[in-house]
Amino acid sequence: MKEVGENISLKSYNTFGLDAYAKYFAEPCSKNEIKDLLQSHLKDIQPKLILGEGSNILFNGDFNGLIIKPSIKGIEIIKDTSEQVYLRVGSGENWDGFVQFCVENNYGGIENLSFIPGTVGASPVQNIGAYGVEVKDLIDSVETIDSKTLETKIFHANECQFGYRTSLFKETLKNRSIITMVVFRLEKEPRFVTHYGSIGKELDKYPETNIKNIREVVVKIRKQKLPDPKELGNAGSFFKNPVVSLETLEYIKKFYPKVPYWESDSEKVKLSAAWLIETCQWKSKKIGDAGTYRKQPLVIVNYGHASANDILTLAGKIQKAVKNHFAIQLEPEVNII
Ligand code: FAD
Ligand code: EPU
């Protein structure tokens, strides 16, 4: 483990590019190093925060506790059958690096999740999803260390309480269970998921549909729509898409017959937060240096020197506008620390 740092700038550790400081910052590279840290003189420091690549975090001020950034690396095949392959992956691996590895080896199912920033360890936390696929469909199990008891525990996928942008690790076990490894189950003869947005249309330009081409199309669409955090600080969608009752949908349809929505289950539908925000005239708006992105208003961007306060003020005004106009409460997806 690198030496534990004190008063460390977090500017390069969050994709909003906000300048906050951590009192203590440690980057353990193995399970043993995590356990050593949790038994060291820092064991009683509170609060503790587990950090990946900071692509879904908003630091609202300095962090006066211990940040643990697990940097466990490695991709290992632990089971290989004629149909599936099981890969055990260190939580500190970069997510898209892992997706690329799978696609190059023709392990399918993961290709729609190409180009999502962050680490493998964070992927189960909010059950990352894109273009019709959620990571819960690929996860076999999640290995953790309990930061209080130091107990090692393996959660099978059906114990993780996965839902749309949520899991046990984002709720009850937030900042308590340190995810060390994730086991994924991938397909050697994948079923392609091509129904979302313009994926199908883009694929028509290729001679065949395969996972390499799907990855290429997803990366292309994402580059067109989403801001690159290296150029414009952001953390992806700031809010979740709201899940509402059929009655709410029917009411909105009276005024907006073309409201976009997707079935969530038999009694609920998911609305587009981007559409709600745009309809409330909050697309391409700015407060200080914080603004809604011109191509996708669900993404709040830092135009250079935004403070956490600018971003939260803008988010609050958007929530208020959507609440006043549609009686819908937008919930943040981003973790506000
Ligand atoms: P961080 O932001 O560092 O942490 C996120 C949460 O996970 C925190 O609560 C943290 O405490 C916890 N955590 C992190 N690592 C661990 C660990 N090892 N053990 C326990 N808890 C941990 N998300 C999507 O779902 N779909 C998208 O399409 C998508 N697109 C994005 C596009 C852009 C441009 C950006 C900037 C973000 C996007 N996101 C998307 C959000 C983000 O990429 C994901 O949430 C990602 O999984 C965060 O990974 P991270 O390593 O940066 O986690
Ligand atoms: N829309 C607008 N105006 C816009 C952009 C979009 O009205 O400017 C409407 C359109 O009707 C469009 C719909 O919103 O069809 C959906 O847009 P998009 O495909 O961009 O997806 P999203 O619902 O806004 C979600 C995820 C993204 C994920 C994409 C693709 C959430 C909160 N966000 O966004 O995830 O990449 O779908 O699957 O579920 C993230 O979580 O950080 C993230 C970027």
Side-chain angles (χ1 to χ4, degrees):
M1 180 162 60
K2 287 182 209 155
E3 222 174 295
V4 175
E6 281 187 45
N7 297 320
I8 296 295
S9 166
L10 296 169
K11 199 170 164 65
S12 60
Y13 290 104
N14 72 97
T15 57
F16 265 123
L18 294 173
D19 202 6
Y21 280 78
K23 183 135 194 240
Y24 299 104
F25 187 100
E27 208 172 329
C29 299
S30 66
K31 289 184 185 183
N32 282 341
E33 286 190 1
I34 291 176
K35 288 187 178 168
D36 288 347
L37 176 71
L38 295 169
Q39 293 176 100
S40 73
H41 64 291
L42 296 171
K43 69 176 187 299
D44 295 324
I45 300 285
Q46 291 297 346
K48 290 187 177 70
L49 170 72
I50 309 159
L51 185 67
E53 291 178 12
S55 62
N56 204 25
I57 271 185
L58 174 71
F59 286 110
N60 185 18
D62 293 340
F63 188 76
N64 202 19
L66 170 63
I67 290 187
I68 303 171
K69 179 170 167 51
S71 287
I72 301 172
K73 295 286 165 68
I75 302 177
E76 184 197 357
I77 295 178
I78 55 168
K79 190 170 157 189
D80 197 352
T81 71
S82 56
E83 288 165 4
Q84 292 172 326
V85 58
Y86 287 68
L87 296 141
R88 186 164 174 258
V89 188
S91 60
E93 286 285 344
N94 171 263
W95 173 258
D96 194 52
F98 171 55
V99 177
Q100 188 175 357
F101 171 88
C102 292
V103 169
E104 278 168 4
N105 286 283
N106 217 24
Y107 304 148
I110 200 167
E111 55 282 0
N112 294 48
L113 301 180
S114 289
F115 215 57
I116 296 180
T119 54
V120 165
S123 66
V125 176
Q126 73 156 7
N127 176 26
I128 56 169
Y131 306 97
V133 173
E134 287 184 327
V135 76
K136 72 172 171 55
D137 304 327
L138 318 168
I139 288 179
D140 175 70
S141 55
V142 178
E143 301 179 18
T144 65
I145 294 175
D146 185 306
S147 62
K148 274 198 182 143
T149 63
L150 267 68
E151 196 192 350
T152 302
K153 189 160 183 217
I154 299 177
F155 292 87
H156 288 279
N158 59 7
E159 297 173 292
C160 295
Q161 298 176 18
F162 287 127
Y164 164 61
R165 295 294 189 274
T166 190
S167 75
L168 191 61
F169 312 108
K170 192 165 178 176
E171 300 295 333
T172 329
L173 296 179
K174 188 168 189 165
N175 287 316
R176 170 137 185 202
S177 276
I178 302 174
I179 295 170
T180 52
M181 312 289 292
V182 183
V183 176
F184 297 91
R185 185 189 53 251
L186 297 172
E187 304 293 328
K188 289 190 176 168
E189 282 184 30
R191 283 172 290 115
F192 307 126
V193 180
T194 59
H195 64 270
Y196 190 100
S198 56
I199 300 235
K201 209 170 91 196
E202 285 292 330
L203 276 167
D204 288 344
K205 297 177 190 159
Y206 288 78
E208 66 164 334
T209 297
N210 58 37
I211 63 175
K212 288 190 179 68
N213 292 344
I214 294 179
R215 174 170 165 81
E216 217 172 281
V217 163
V218 168
V219 172
K220 183 177 164 202
I221 294 173
R222 293 183 67 98
K223 282 187 174 168
Q224 281 167 358
K225 277 193 176 178
L226 293 163
D228 177 354
K230 286 194 198 96
E231 286 159 19
L232 269 184
N234 76 89
S237 302
F238 195 89
F239 301 104
K240 295 185 207 178
N241 284 329
V243 176
V244 303
S245 66
L246 294 176
E247 290 78 54
T248 304
L249 173 67
E250 288 314 313
Y251 183 72
I252 295 175
K253 267 188 176 173
K254 282 188 193 161
F255 303 94
Y256 299 96
K258 290 192 176 158
V259 54
Y261 67 92
W262 298 265
E263 272 175 30
S264 180
D265 61 41
S266 60
E267 281 155 31
K268 303 246 173 190
V269 289
K270 199 190 273 178
L271 300 180
S272 154
W275 180 87
L276 295 170
I277 296 169
E278 183 167 354
T279 306
C280 290
Q281 315 291 328
W282 275 95
K283 191 170 176 169
S284 296
K285 291 282 167 68
K286 268 174 105 177
I287 288 187
D289 247 358
T292 44
Y293 190 51
R294 67 189 165 83
K295 295 184 196 168
Q296 173 45 285
L298 188 48
V299 179
I300 295 185
V301 295
N302 177 356
Y303 283 105
H305 299 284
S307 63
N309 190 44
D310 291 336
I311 294 170
L312 290 172
T313 304
L314 175 63
K317 285 191 187 285
I318 292 170
Q319 280 174 312
K320 201 169 164 197
V322 171
K323 178 92 183 170
N324 285 345
H325 198 70
F326 290 104
I328 289 172
Q329 182 67 40
L330 290 181
E331 304 290 347
E333 176 193 293
V334 170
N335 299 278
I336 298 160
I337 309 292

